[in-house]
Amino acid sequence: MEAHSVNILPLLKNQWGITRLQYLQQIGKIAQQRGIAAYLVGGAVRDLFLQRYAPDMDIAVEGDVRALAEACKAQIPGADYQYHERFGTATLQNPHGFALDMAQCRLEHYPAPAALPEVRPGDILADLARRDFTVNAMALRLDPEHFGKLLDPYAGQADLQRGQLRTLHSRSFLDDPTRILRGLRFAARFQMALVPESRQQLREALQADIFARLSAARLWRELRYLLELAVLPQALSLLSDWNLWFLLRPAPADIHAIQALIQRGQEQIQWMQQHFPQEPIAVTTVMLILLWQDSPLADIQQHLDQWPIPDRSRLQADLRIIPDLPKTIPQSIRPSQRAKIWQGCSVAGILAAMAMYPDNPVLVDSARLYLLKQKHLQPMLNGQELQALGLTAGPSLGNVLKLLRDAQLDGEISDKETAQQWLIKQGILPANPR
Ligand code: CTP
């Protein structure tokens, strides 16, 4: 049944190393002992030919997934698995830390355009036939006699070599419009071009207004992956070519300007990551702000309402504050006043602002200063120390702490001693404490 019989063993050994190879061989052997056929499928096979490291592996199983996972647990030292009842899939962990998902080969039927498919068990060819693109519809046999043999019924390997992205059938995008955005990501990541037939299918899907049938949650999931891409500038150029701006913005953007802006945003994110490697950064928020910075808030309200965007109210606040920053930041003379303005923005908003106003050194420098030094600044004297000096606990103490912090930001105090003198000068502490 193989369309090709390329032996991939040397490539596998080179790309993945002997440990991963032996692990797959072990699984193939265990499956065979149980009379189950197992195949490596999907992205891992594609990435192998692209000479890219694939962190995740998907195994398609003709037979009982749970039985295979159980046998792997019993026979591979240190292996364990979780069975996901709802999907009939299993995640196998081994001591080497490879993530491996097992799923039963299945046939898919789409009851309506953009609806979730109905599935039933099938063989490996049916499982490959249900997939999105030819380059993702390849499988490697894992059984010992034919280990590493390629099943490539749609000539995915040839498409990969030619850099061609091709759907398997004419209804693919109508069945599942998320494939359009998946395709966009593949095309950008692997520098592939959508072949003319698939391009025509894309036009037809857009004419049928297929995205209107997709739930906001499913659309957002795909958009999030898109916004997190390192190659987002290139992906946006495809988004423009494929007439998909409407998914992200009320109106098409000037592609060169937006690409430059996004790239600067990515550079600011990298800068932040270098300084605060532990701090998670809301990359999607930075990118949304940059993509929406020139759109009236009312025009993007629909997206804001529909998509399950994390921290939506902060994002809205950022979108309101950022356009005024070139005016408000230079006008605020004291560092503490600037810090207060930055405090109103999220970290994502600040990074976006730094990308938006690269020619405004006052703004960029004060943003950097805020993130590096001011945001986490502790007052010179803490609450306990202030109480020891005679102040009473309560909201007024909180205010004193804020005042101290501001004085520190403005360079009026530099240590506990000058802080105490400053408090006396302000009349907050008596001049001659007992
Ligand atoms: N797939 C599909 N249609 C979808 C989603 C997934 O056909 N809407 C298939 C593809 O064949 C894909 C496989 O399921 O290769 C696994 O999907 P996923 O893990 O999301 O993607 P990968 O191809 O592994 O790619 P990535 O490198 O982005 O993880």
Side-chain angles (χ1 to χ4, degrees), residues 41-44 46-47 54-56 58 106 108 110 127-128 130-133 135-138 176 178-179 182 185-186 189-190 218 221-222 225:
V41 285
R46 175 199 69 219
D47 290 351
D56 304 325
D58 289 308
R106 61 182 196 260
E108 276 181 356
Y110 288 84
D127 197 79
L128 295 179
R130 72 173 173 85
R131 290 171 186 263
D132 49 3
F133 299 101
V135 295
N136 286 337
M138 296 184 273
D176 179 358
T178 66
R179 289 175 175 161
R182 285 174 60 83
R185 293 203 307 272
F186 293 130
R189 281 166 67 202
F190 309 134
R218 284 181 71 198
R221 205 176 104 96
E222 295 301 327
Y225 289 137

Side-chain angles (χ1 to χ4, degrees), residues 24-34 75 142-144:
L24 287 173
Q25 283 173 326
Q26 236 174 341
I27 294 170
K29 199 165 153 200
I30 295 168
Q32 196 191 42
Q33 286 163 0
R34 303 233 137 211
Q75 294 186 40
L142 297 183
D143 54 307

